Amino acid sequence: MSKNFLFTSESVSEGHPDKICDQVSDTVLDAMLRDDPSSRVACECFASTGLIVVGGEITTTTYVDLQKLVRGVIEDIGYTKAGYRFDSYSCAVVNVINQQSPDIAMGVDVGGAGDQGMMFGYASTETEELMPAPIMFSHKLVAKHTEVFKTVNSAMPYLRPDAKSQVTLEYADNGEIIRAHTVVMSVQHDPDVSQEKIHQDVTEHIIKKVMPANLLDDKTIYHINPTGRFEIGGPHGDTGLTGRKIIVDTYGGRAPHGGGAFSGKDPSKVDRSGAYAARHLAKNIVAAGIAKECTIQLSYAIGVAQPVSVYVNTHGSSEISGIAISDYISKNIDLTPKGIIDRFNLRSPIYRATSAYGHFGRPEFPWEALELVDLFKKI
């Protein structure tokens, strides 16, 4: 009996209805932080046919033109045609934002966490990004879709903004990647194009531009628009909500996920900043050669600055115990919300970029830096 196993991850494009909402929420956050870095933001978004609802709790000294901001996001994504049945010019934008509770501010103002909860970070040597390969390939597929969609004189002019990807890799029992077992791509399209043409173009212009040739073989299964049609998409095809793609945002199911989503939350919310810190720690531990794989859990209590717990699991890939690594982290690294915010400069307007194609494995983000490698080598 074969000891090989399969593992699958998925991603979605920036035109997916849930990702529209994530981008709106994070664009609101950026606009607040740009003028008032001390803004407290918990912004949620709902999208449906012809409608965007923006709500949540915000405390800030600045003002943003919400109508202009939201329509700008929708236009940037590419919803600019009435035929999509959702577009930046005609959709209604409803504002139901309220002020943040002063009860939360009592704890946050003195440096405590903005909420209770646990967060996870993960890294492994599987890819150069120190991320699981299935989620990285899935992100790159939908990013390539968006690139092709937005290209002037595109080779696929019939594309529309919405798309999903899914990659299943076959692994040996030692964790080595053997091959791509299945690649799934669903791309929204104009009505006057055949599925045969879509299948050919997606294979040539997207899949084979992203997937390494050595992983594709004559047994690789391709499911391209497997329902046979994907004309109706975006918020007209399915409602969107902020924070509904948390596994897409993180590690594609390879690692645990904490209790909260990221988008629309300012960094006093440890759901976000704590998860970034946990990834930073795990990545630096793996990059330092201490372990080939590392999962870290942090937990916090609302209004309390120091983490309640720091848990490290190297999955049997290290000669140093997780307890020893955890103790070293607690003694040498500031994991208070203020410490994390200061280390990564998280009161900057950097969040729109995180809201599609994953929060991790992208070198432009400060929590992906490797400045702790030398420190961890001293353990």
Side-chain angles (χ1 to χ4, degrees):
M1 185 174 66
S2 173
K3 294 183 179 180
N4 295 355
F5 65 92
L6 305 178
F7 193 86
T8 302
S9 295
E10 69 157 351
S11 186
V12 298
S13 75
E14 60 191 61
H16 185 279
D18 292 332
K19 279 294 155 195
I20 294 172
C21 292
D22 285 345
Q23 289 167 92
V24 167
S25 293
D26 274 337
T27 303
V28 171
L29 172 60
D30 282 349
M32 300 294 179
L33 294 177
R34 189 170 290 112
D35 292 334
D36 178 11
S38 63
S39 295
R40 301 277 171 73
V41 180
C43 180
E44 312 294 342
C45 180
F46 167 87
S48 189
T49 303
L51 175 66
I52 289 275
V53 179
V54 183
E57 295 79 44
I58 294 177
T59 299
T60 186
T61 61
T62 192
Y63 166 81
V64 298
D65 185 337
L66 195 68
Q67 290 274 338
K68 182 179 180 181
L69 184 149
V70 171
R71 294 184 192 282
V73 172
I74 298 168
E75 182 177 4
D76 288 347
I77 293 169
Y79 284 101
T80 57
K81 299 179 181 179
Y84 296 162
R85 306 184 194 182
F86 177 87
D87 67 84
S88 61
Y89 312 113
S90 65
C91 74
V93 179
V94 179
N95 181 351
V96 288
I97 293 172
N98 295 299
Q99 188 169 357
Q100 189 184 70
S101 166
D103 293 345
I104 296 175
M106 288 173 61
V108 177
D109 288 344
V110 295
D115 203 351
Q116 71 176 42
M118 72 286 189
M119 306 85 218
F120 289 91
Y122 177 83
S124 78
T125 57
E126 191 168 296
T127 64
E128 63 180 13
E129 299 92 352
L130 303 184
M131 286 283 289
I135 189 65
M136 292 307 297
F137 288 138
S138 295
H139 286 325
K140 290 175 182 179
L141 286 169
V142 284
K144 174 59 73 172
H145 159 271
T146 298
E147 177 188 319
V148 174
F149 164 66
K150 291 185 176 181
T151 298
V152 177
N153 299 321
S154 169
M156 302 172 68
Y158 52 80
L159 286 180
R160 293 182 172 187
D162 199 355
K164 299 180 75 172
S165 64
Q166 185 172 287
V167 174
T168 301
L169 298 182
E170 182 177 346
Y171 291 80
D173 60 355
N174 65 357
E176 180 184 350
I177 298 171
I178 298 174
R179 57 186 291 273
H181 181 277
T182 303
V183 180
V184 183
M185 283 291 300
S186 294
V187 298
Q188 187 188 12
H189 58 85
D190 290 344
D192 55 351
V193 59
S194 70
Q195 291 301 315
E196 291 76 15
K197 173 66 171 171
I198 294 171
H199 193 289
Q200 177 182 344
D201 286 350
V202 168
T203 302
E204 178 181 353
H205 298 297
I206 298 178
I207 294 175
K208 289 188 176 180
K209 297 293 185 183
V210 169
M211 297 297 298
N214 66 306
L215 294 183
L216 301 174
D217 58 30
D218 56 2
K219 294 183 180 180
T220 299
I221 300 167
Y222 300 93
H223 292 303
I224 298 171
N225 283 11
T227 67
R229 189 174 186 83
F230 187 13
E231 179 184 346
I232 298 173
H236 181 67
D238 191 12
T239 57
L241 287 170
T242 298
R244 198 157 57 175
K245 287 291 178 283
I246 57 176
I247 300 303
V248 170
D249 285 343
T250 53
Y251 306 102
R254 181 65 66 85
H257 194 289
F262 301 155
S263 289
K265 296 177 180 178
D266 76 84
S268 71
K269 296 287 194 292
V270 284
D271 282 337
R272 181 169 222 160
S273 53
Y276 292 169
R279 161 63 179 172
H280 184 238
L281 294 171
K283 183 178 182 182
N284 276 263
I285 287 168
V286 171
I290 293 172
K292 293 183 178 180
E293 182 180 12
C294 183
T295 300
I296 290 183
Q297 184 201 59
L298 304 177
S299 69
Y300 292 85
I302 188 168
V304 179
Q306 293 292 339
V308 172
S309 65
V310 178
Y311 167 77
V312 178
N313 184 353
T314 57
H315 307 273
S317 68
S318 177
E319 296 180 357
I320 304 172
S321 72
I323 294 173
I325 299 172
S326 173
D327 288 344
Y328 188 81
I329 289 170
S330 298
K331 292 174 182 177
N332 290 278
I333 298 170
D334 185 353
L335 291 175
T336 65
K338 183 181 186 303
I340 296 169
I341 290 168
D342 290 346
R343 182 159 65 253
F344 301 139
N345 195 22
L346 293 183
R347 293 213 171 273
S348 302
I350 60 173
Y351 296 102
R352 167 75 186 273
T354 70
S355 55
Y357 314 119
H359 293 243
F360 307 121
R362 298 166 60 185
E364 63 267 34
F365 299 144
W367 47 90
E368 294 293 316
L370 295 175
E371 80 282 2
L372 296 182
V373 166
D374 289 340
L375 179 66
F376 280 124
K377 285 182 177 180
K378 297 177 182 178
I379 299 179

